[in-house]
Amino acid sequence: MASRDTLLLDQGYQPVKIIPWQRAFVMQLVGKVEMVTAHEWCIRTVDHRYPAPAVVRLLRNVRHRPPFVRFSRENVYLRDGYRCQYCGDAFAAADLTLDHVVPRCQGGKTSWSNVVAACVRCNRRKGRELPDEAGMPLLATPRRPRWLAPKVMALGDAQMPPIWRDWLH
């Protein structure tokens, strides 16, 4: 994510995704979005200066939420808030692993209700045991989410441009 990207909001001012500023600018020119907040820098042409869009809002209702959430590593991390479900510490995606609550060697399936985000240390400590056997209770029961917020919601304060903070908290 570059500091020049644009946050796209739906009609109800809910975050949808991050798009390049060039796409947001073209969408604004053709009347698909309205600019809510501008970057400090400008887009310059030969004879005009335009404010660069930092946050834009769709003018028409677009169904962007999938009817179901696909199972993926990234979506498990989003569901669990990038937190280890055993120790509760927050980690970057690169420092997390997927853990089968009921290990696969004991017949556990790879599904929303059996997989959680875990740090490497906790995943190794739990090993092939059930959480109760390892003395490591889960912080929350894993469930299939009905909807996940866009990846932008999981950004830490250090990664998030300050101009977006009002729309993401």
Side-chain angles (χ1 to χ4, degrees):
M1 179 189 66
S3 62
R4 292 181 166 241
D5 287 336
T6 302
L7 177 64
L8 178 66
L9 307 175
D10 66 10
Q11 267 190 317
Y13 293 91
Q14 296 300 311
V16 176
K17 62 181 174 178
I18 300 168
I19 59 175
W21 68 265
Q22 296 93 331
R23 181 171 177 213
F25 183 65
V26 170
M27 290 173 75
Q28 182 182 356
L29 289 176
V30 297
K32 290 185 177 183
V33 297
E34 70 175 346
M35 184 169 22
V36 178
T37 308
H39 284 293
E40 294 177 357
W41 52 276
C42 291
I43 301 166
R44 296 177 191 200
T45 64
V46 175
D47 55 354
H48 290 298
R49 291 178 62 178
Y50 300 95
V55 180
V56 294
R57 182 180 76 95
L58 289 167
L59 294 175
R60 290 188 12 208
N61 189 16
V62 176
R63 183 180 166 102
H64 63 275
R65 295 181 182 162
F68 66 95
V69 179
R70 295 180 200 270
F71 181 86
S72 70
R73 176 179 300 273
E74 188 67 29
N75 285 343
V76 171
Y77 294 164
L78 281 168
R79 177 198 67 188
D80 295 343
Y82 289 84
R83 292 192 173 279
C84 174
Q85 294 301 293
Y86 296 107
C87 67
D89 293 340
F91 292 91
D95 299 324
L96 285 172
T97 62
L98 294 181
D99 178 60
H100 289 78
V101 178
V102 176
R104 291 186 344 193
C105 65
Q106 294 184 24
K109 304 286 184 198
T110 301
S111 67
W112 282 109
S113 59
N114 191 47
V115 174
V116 295
C119 66
V120 174
R121 185 176 58 89
C122 288
N123 200 344
R124 285 187 182 148
R125 189 173 138 214
K126 179 182 166 284
R128 295 180 173 193
E129 297 178 324
L130 295 172
D132 295 338
E133 294 171 355
M136 300 173 66
L138 284 167
L139 297 178
T141 304
R143 291 188 176 91
R144 177 187 202 105
R146 285 185 245 164
W147 180 75
L148 286 175
K151 184 177 179 181
V152 69
M153 299 295 282
L155 292 175
D157 284 341
Q159 296 173 304
M160 187 185 311
I163 203 162
W164 294 357
R165 290 197 178 124
D166 290 340
W167 305 103
L168 297 176
H169 288 291

